[in-house]
Amino acid sequence: MERLKRLPWRRLLALLVLAAVMVAFWAQPVQGETRYVIVETGSPSAVLLDKASSFAKGIATLKRDQEVEVLDEKALADGKTYIKVRVKDGDKTLEGYVKRVILGTAKVTVDGEGSETVGATGAAKLSKGLNQGIEDDMVKQDPQKTGKAIEQINKLEAARNKELGGDAKNPDPSKMIESYRKFGQDGRLLEGN
Amino acid sequence: MNSTQKVVVALAAALALTSGCAFIMRTVENITQAEKDLEESRVADDYTPSEEYYIGRGTSSYIVQTFPMADPDNTKTREQIKYLNEMGGYIHEASATVPRDYMKLGKHVVRNEDERRRIRDLVLFKGVQIGLLDTDDVCAFGTTGGFVWISRGAIKMCRSEDELAALVCHELGHVMMNHSMDAYRAANKNAIVAGAVSKSLFPGDSIGSKFGQMVVGLGEDMITKGFNKDQEFEADHWGTRALAATGYDPNAMVRLLESVQAYEKANSGKSQYLGNHPKVTDRMEKVKQAIKDMIAAKEMPEEFKSMKEPGPAARQGRFEQTFKR
């Protein structure tokens, strides 16, 4: 009992508190986690923004499956969640914001049959698998009607891309966002007109 | 206790322990398998944005076969397509704050957590794309993957940009609440036999044929049957709130429905599309209630509480210039 009484209880308590603080610190969400862009290159959402808001300025175009490093997650007062990220753009490293929903935990893998099977196994894998290759196969079965209809849809997409994003095949998402913002301002729907 | 009794007791205890362990192991295995099945079922229901985009293209291919698409090579049509896509993109971006993952909405919508998560995390692979259908019939379709189709007849029915925005908001509501995918998931899971048209177009057994049967069947259903009444009410509800969030007059949804009512009276039974929707009077009543709720919750912009006009001259001017002769 005497030995127990002689122990430096206050020091031990301080050490325990310090240990608890360190454990709590290490248990925080990991910064620097890697995520992947799940929307198409050229989508209006595939853009690194300078601010965490809908009509912010685009500072870099993101590519599908591009790696991004998560720096911070910020839930805005408007309810929309953006994540602060770091991306590599050629030799440069840029920081900015992206919509949370455009990031996935894995790259989209395409298996031998051309199916997209993110995380799918067994029956789930069989039920998935929709991509350009499968659409091409569908068109082969009915080139006259479905084939021509798909051509029309491609034409619409090219027209939208060209008019809003400056290029029929590789639209610039920053230009698209700018055209949306201008539409809002010209119609007195957004402030800043 | 003698030595034999001790052995018997020990054996019985060991047996009981082993049986118990085996029972526990089997139970654990069963639970693990059940969890795996549940996870697999979730994965089967979760489609990537690109998968939804291709489903939307397939569904749209049937819509374009039924109603001719206005040609973007025509200068005036191109201007109209640009206007529609700027409007759709603007509304999509500016309406991000409007809730859409309701667990329950009135008596109409009941969702589980997985369904709510899917709607909350929904993202469009290439953004919103609005196509113009070259027909005087009044119809509009919002399908998977960001595709919206609006007929010239439907645009002609709108008297202002705000009414056209109400139509776009309603269709975007179907897109953003993934209504079209509800039918696709059900068809995929239950392997429902594809419709007559899709089967005749894709009689084969290849993956492309099966995909064709599914997506064209979906387009066929969308035109012939439409969405169910709950989904229509939900699209009206989201659309009305989206109008307020994007700076348009939410009362425009009521005015649009008045135009639909007038069209129905004048053209009874002429539009398949309108025949599939709930009664306009029921829809108007629910939209008016949604507006009252927004006013009560102070979510309604002050300027729209008594607004009856088409909207500012800037909006009306560009609408007239783009669509009216």
Side-chain angles (χ1 to χ4, degrees), chain A residues 184 187-191, chain B residues 90 162 243-252 255 291 295 298-313 315:
Chain A
R188 294 177 176 273
L189 299 159
L190 275 179
E191 285 179 8
Chain B
Y90 166 74
D162 285 33
L243 283 168
T246 55
Y248 283 108
D249 178 6
N251 295 299
R255 294 200 291 270
I291 292 172
I295 291 171
K298 296 184 178 170
E299 292 171 358
M300 183 85 162
E302 197 67 34
E303 63 190 291
F304 295 133
K305 283 183 184 171
S306 59
M307 193 166 179
K308 299 282 182 206
E309 296 305 313
R315 293 213 283 277

Side-chain angles (χ1 to χ4, degrees), chain B residues 274-317:
Chain B
L274 292 174
N276 298 330
H277 282 61
K279 278 185 184 174
V280 179
T281 46
D282 291 349
R283 293 176 66 189
M284 283 166 77
E285 194 183 305
K286 288 183 192 303
V287 168
K288 283 176 183 171
Q289 186 57 50
I291 292 172
K292 273 184 196 168
D293 292 345
M294 279 195 287
I295 291 171
K298 296 184 178 170
E299 292 171 358
M300 183 85 162
E302 197 67 34
E303 63 190 291
F304 295 133
K305 283 183 184 171
S306 59
M307 193 166 179
K308 299 282 182 206
E309 296 305 313
R315 293 213 283 277
Q316 193 59 14

Side-chain angles (χ1 to χ4, degrees), chain B residues 2 52 228 251 262:
Chain B
N2 63 30
E52 293 197 354
N228 66 43
N251 295 299

Side-chain angles (χ1 to χ4, degrees), chain A residues 93-129:
Chain A
T93 301
L94 301 170
E95 288 184 10
Y97 296 85
V98 295
K99 288 178 189 166
R100 178 186 60 81
V101 288
I102 76 156
L103 299 180
T105 51
K107 283 187 182 182
V108 174
T109 53
V110 176
D111 72 11
E113 293 177 340
S115 301
E116 288 182 4
T117 54
V118 183
T121 56
K125 190 171 177 179
L126 290 174
S127 75
K128 312 266 292 175

Side-chain angles (χ1 to χ4, degrees), chain B:
Chain B
M1 196 184 282
N2 63 30
S3 59
T4 313
Q5 283 171 328
K6 282 178 184 172
V7 169
V8 169
V9 169
L11 275 173
L15 191 64
L17 196 64
T18 312
S19 309
C21 284
F23 172 76
I24 290 166
M25 289 293 281
R26 272 201 303 274
T27 308
V28 168
E29 276 171 17
N30 287 343
I31 290 169
T32 311
Q33 188 56 45
E35 278 175 351
K36 276 182 187 169
D37 290 347
L38 182 65
E39 187 53 33
E40 199 165 292
S41 150
R42 279 188 183 138
V43 173
D45 272 351
D46 285 347
Y47 289 85
T48 63
S50 60
E51 286 174 321
E52 293 197 354
Y53 166 78
Y54 282 104
I55 292 169
R57 279 169 67 89
T59 309
S60 295
S61 75
Y62 187 75
I63 293 170
V64 172
Q65 286 174 57
T66 309
F67 303 101
M69 189 184 93
D71 186 4
D73 286 344
N74 175 292
T75 311
K76 187 66 184 171
T77 301
R78 203 173 179 91
E79 184 196 334
Q80 293 166 339
I81 288 171
K82 180 173 183 275
Y83 173 95
L84 286 171
N85 280 280
E86 282 174 346
M87 177 188 273
Y90 166 74
I91 291 171
H92 178 239
E93 290 296 328
S95 65
T97 57
V98 181
R100 55 179 197 252
D101 60 335
Y102 297 104
M103 185 175 276
K104 202 169 184 310
L105 182 63
K107 293 175 184 171
H108 299 286
V109 176
V110 181
R111 288 198 177 90
N112 63 34
E113 262 311 314
D114 277 339
E115 289 165 337
R116 292 181 73 199
R117 173 182 53 80
R118 278 198 294 269
I119 294 171
R120 202 163 41 232
D121 292 347
L122 187 140
V123 58
L124 304 176
F125 189 54
K126 292 192 182 182
V128 176
Q129 298 195 50
I130 303 186
L132 187 56
L133 299 171
D134 225 347
T135 171
D136 282 336
D137 198 358
V138 173
C139 58
F141 308 96
T143 184
T144 302
F147 290 95
V148 172
W149 298 94
I150 299 177
S151 73
R152 287 198 187 279
I155 294 174
K156 215 176 272 180
M157 191 183 69
C158 298
R159 294 163 293 180
S160 67
E161 178 174 307
D162 285 33
E163 281 185 38
L164 178 57
L167 180 60
V168 169
C169 282
H170 172 90
E171 297 307 329
L172 266 182
H174 286 307
V175 172
M176 298 310 293
M177 275 167 292
N178 228 354
H179 288 161
S180 196
M181 284 303 290
D182 287 348
Y184 189 86
R185 284 191 183 94
N188 197 17
K189 270 195 163 176
N190 303 325
I192 290 169
V193 179
V197 176
S198 57
K199 268 181 117 179
S200 68
L201 287 175
F202 303 101
D205 266 342
S206 72
I207 298 175
S209 285
K210 283 175 184 166
F211 176 55
Q213 284 175 15
M214 292 282 283
V215 291
V216 171
L218 206 61
E220 191 187 349
D221 277 357
M222 190 175 280
I223 290 170
T224 57
K225 296 177 191 162
F227 291 111
N228 66 43
K229 288 184 180 181
D230 292 351
Q231 290 169 326
E232 293 298 345
F233 286 133
E234 193 180 36
D236 281 343
H237 185 270
W238 185 85
T240 305
R241 295 182 72 96
L243 283 168
T246 55
Y248 283 108
D249 178 6
N251 295 299
M253 189 65 85
V254 179
R255 294 200 291 270
L256 174 71
L257 290 170
E258 284 168 357
S259 298
V260 171
Q261 198 171 35
Y263 178 88
E264 277 187 335
K265 277 183 186 167
N267 302 274
S268 182
K270 278 193 179 178
S271 171
Q272 279 180 312
Y273 165 75
L274 292 174
N276 298 330
H277 282 61
K279 278 185 184 174
V280 179
T281 46
D282 291 349
R283 293 176 66 189
M284 283 166 77
E285 194 183 305
K286 288 183 192 303
V287 168
K288 283 176 183 171
Q289 186 57 50
I291 292 172
K292 273 184 196 168
D293 292 345
M294 279 195 287
I295 291 171
K298 296 184 178 170
E299 292 171 358
M300 183 85 162
E302 197 67 34
E303 63 190 291
F304 295 133
K305 283 183 184 171
S306 59
M307 193 166 179
K308 299 282 182 206
E309 296 305 313
R315 293 213 283 277
Q316 193 59 14
R318 67 181 178 186
F319 173 72
E320 296 276 350
Q321 194 184 348
T322 310
F323 289 106
K324 306 284 176 180
R325 283 165 295 276

